[in-house]
Amino acid sequence: MNSARLSLSTLDRLPSGVARPRYDVAGQKIGIVHLGIGAFHRAHQAVYVDDRLAAGERDWAVLGASLRSPDTRDALAPQDGLYSLIVRSGEESTVRVIGAVRGVLVAPENPEALLSAMSREGVRIVSLTVTEKGYCHDPARGALREDHPDIVRDLADPGRPLTAPGLLVEALRRRRAAGIAPFTVLSCDNLSANGRIVGGIVARFAELRDPDLGRFVVGEVAFPSTMVDRIVPATTDADRASVDERLGLADAWPVATEPFSQWVIEDAFSAGRPRFEEAGAELVADVEPYEAMKLRLLNGSHSTLAYLGYLAGFETVSDAMSAPPFGRLVRGLMDEEVSPTLHVPGGADLEGYKAQLLDRFSNAALRHRTFQIATDGSQKLPPRLLGTVRDRLRSGAPIERLALAVAGWMRFVSGRDEVGRPIELNDPMARRLRALADAAGADASRLASALLGVGEIFGADLPHDRRFTSAVERSLAELFEKGAARVVDEASR
Ligand code: CS2
């Protein structure tokens, strides 16, 4: 391992094949505060910003914030915020050093530092990738969970917030009090209609603090919706070692991704924005059709592959895709059950998009773990699979593969894999789900009905739809009886 670290002072030591910022990195001004600075942001939005900084738009550098752990700050601070982006496909990979992230704050260590950064006039966008659970909402209704313990805490001590809604509202309040125009709130998470949902959550939190502040948020703050897409698996030590070798310098936290990247943004910013379109983003009037297409086709298939693939013993998405029945199941899910529910945006090529998705899922150089995608199912099922289920039920259309995917999640939640090993459940509702699963045991009918009763996931309607409940229960019974590999094989014929 190299002992010298990637940083501004070692940039000129990089080998010539490694792309790097060709602008005055330290001279850029912060225009975006990003909440939730994980691997996804660094492989996606920060790259678009990096391109715009390189093109001379100097006012839009990113100040990142972690809402939980100090790890990203600890890795990037000694590197002056620089990190490497590895882009992988097949045998090829390229490395590029990104300079867009000019600092990282850790909210729980010092919420005041973050709030004061968010309140500065130069900050005109606050963007977010806090994952579905970071919005503290009820995923089935898309509304703020007012009884969420972190929300209760933030409402009781609103000047020292720890949640995303609490931070946004306190910073907006301070700006208003100081006569500074509000920033645009830009959600880059995989929620359907993310701008609209987050706008409602933030407005409700503000209203609970003060009805007048609530009206201000509704009337004055812009929440454009976005569709974000790039597959970014968690960084591994092998990624670190390969960057080390390519750079001749140590990078504590590179990110690895695929060549594909897409960002569709509703062009509704209240305080200006970088010319993201010149970095490849699509600025449109209505993002929702793009979002539905991506969430239902890509993420819906991903979650299906994650649960069923994990149960069948596949470590990564591409491993599962290399088994023909899994490829056929996903193709069938997309063609037969998801596509008919979509309003394909004008100019989009649905067939090309699906073919490209199958290729992306098969990218073996990425090693995207099924277990990683299987996290937070309670938050992911509603936008990825259950909206499609509702549309299909409404039109009386078959839902067999969708029901199998939901049953795959239930089988996963049961807590033991097919050879009896425990499955760790990473989910904000893990305790409740695990208690329900433990009480039901391996009885498919009891387990299905217990889990279907969780209103935050299935709403008030789905548990009463016999077509849905019986299809899920049937698939779950088969999963217990025959195992995922056989059930997928049969379902894909
Ligand atoms: C994945 C997504 O982990 C997951 O749940 O489905 O992170 C997916 O890779 C991205 O949304 C792709 O844009």
Side-chain angles (χ1 to χ4, degrees), residues 13-20 22:
R13 289 206 227 160
L14 289 173
S16 57
V18 175
R20 76 217 53 194
R22 301 281 182 193

Side-chain angles (χ1 to χ4, degrees), residues 88-90 231 258 302 305 316-323 326-327 330 354-368:
R88 291 212 168 101
S89 80
I231 295 175
E258 61 176 341
H302 245 181
L305 286 166
T316 68
V317 171
S318 61
D319 292 346
M321 288 297 289
S322 68
F326 276 83
V330 168
K354 288 189 288 189
Q356 191 180 32
L357 284 181
L358 295 174
D359 264 4
R360 293 170 64 197
F361 294 159
S362 304
N363 181 351
L366 275 185
R367 303 207 52 72
H368 196 191

Side-chain angles (χ1 to χ4, degrees), residues 231-256:
I231 295 175
V232 189
T235 303
T236 62
D237 286 340
D239 296 328
R240 290 188 177 84
S242 98
V243 159
D244 201 79
E245 199 178 299
R246 296 278 286 269
L247 260 51
L249 293 168
D251 178 347
W253 210 335
V255 286

Side-chain angles (χ1 to χ4, degrees), residues 40 44 132 188-190 227-233 258 260 262 294-295 298-303 306 317 353 360-361 368-376 380 384:
F40 182 78
H44 187 270
E132 298 84 346
C188 298
D189 280 295
N190 287 319
M227 183 273 255
V228 293
D229 190 6
R230 196 166 209 186
I231 295 175
V232 189
E258 61 176 341
F260 183 92
Q262 190 180 12
K294 188 260 173 173
L295 275 168
L298 188 156
N299 299 105
S301 302
H302 245 181
S303 290
V317 171
Y353 183 71
R360 293 170 64 197
F361 294 159
H368 196 191
R369 294 173 69 224
T370 48
F371 187 74
Q372 184 188 345
I373 301 168
T375 55
D376 294 349
K380 290 176 177 175
R384 296 176 177 208

